[in-house]
Amino acid sequence: MKFSVKFKADGVRKMFKDLEKEFKEGADGAKAGYYEGEQHKGENATLSEIALFNEFGTKDIPARPFLRNAEAKIQQRAPEIVQKGLDDGKTLNKIMAEIAQDMRNQIIESITSNTPPPNKPSTIRQKGSTHTLIDTGGLRDGVHVAMVKDGREKPLGK
């Protein structure tokens, strides 16, 4: 009795060809953050300036590293998102879009987590709140996401 097993590689070839096309044409990465020049409502500063002032501190504002805190979580979560996307058969662009949305969510979560140090009593009196990083909600609500291709950003919905 003769027994043999055959394997046809056509499906694998197509998969690699599709992946190669996606690597050439797809997004190079994803971003989350603030648009340069986007004005903060009622302030003489842009959202990106306010984010930087709060992230690294100034003479009058202590550093509250909400972006770095979010980045640390994203670095842990991204491999899981990629693996799940691959397991589910998603395209690389779809996976990158999911990572971008997760980055936005992590930034918002970091802002709403009441990042230390606590507000000074004078700030609490002025704001009427002990919550750090949230005064009008503009910093939290202004986080944008985008896909990046050839150095150009393509915004995604919030």
Side-chain angles (χ1 to χ4, degrees), residues 30-71:
K31 287 177 98 173
Y34 303 93
Y35 291 134
E36 187 176 335
E38 184 175 13
Q39 203 63 31
H40 185 279
K41 294 175 187 167
E43 297 283 337
N44 290 331
T46 65
L47 284 174
S48 58
E49 289 170 334
I50 292 170
L52 286 173
F53 297 157
N54 281 284
E55 180 74 16
F56 297 105
T58 67
K59 182 178 128 189
D60 299 318
I61 300 170
R64 291 188 175 96
F66 71 100
L67 291 169
R68 287 174 282 177
N69 293 345
E71 181 181 23

Side-chain angles (χ1 to χ4, degrees), residues 66-140:
F66 71 100
L67 291 169
R68 287 174 282 177
N69 293 345
E71 181 181 23
K73 287 183 181 179
I74 292 160
Q75 294 299 330
Q76 291 174 340
R77 292 177 49 81
E80 297 168 20
I81 295 168
V82 170
Q83 186 61 58
K84 181 166 180 2
L86 292 173
D87 291 346
D88 292 347
K90 293 180 180 172
T91 65
L92 293 176
N93 278 346
K94 179 68 175 160
I95 294 169
M96 294 305 289
E98 288 179 6
I99 290 172
Q101 291 295 341
D102 190 64
M103 288 190 287
R104 179 180 185 274
N105 294 342
Q106 294 303 321
I107 293 169
I108 290 169
E109 183 179 304
S110 186
I111 290 170
T112 59
S113 71
N114 209 20
T115 305
N119 286 326
K120 292 179 183 177
S122 59
T123 303
I124 294 169
R125 280 191 301 278
Q126 180 185 358
K127 284 176 51 169
S129 169
T130 60
H131 203 291
T132 61
L133 297 175
I134 298 178
D135 189 358
T136 65
L139 194 63
R140 177 194 58 219

Side-chain angles (χ1 to χ4, degrees), residues 27-29 31 147-154:
D28 297 329
K31 287 177 98 173
M147 301 293 283
V148 181
K149 175 67 177 166
D150 298 328
R152 286 187 238 130
E153 295 179 19
K154 179 183 176 191

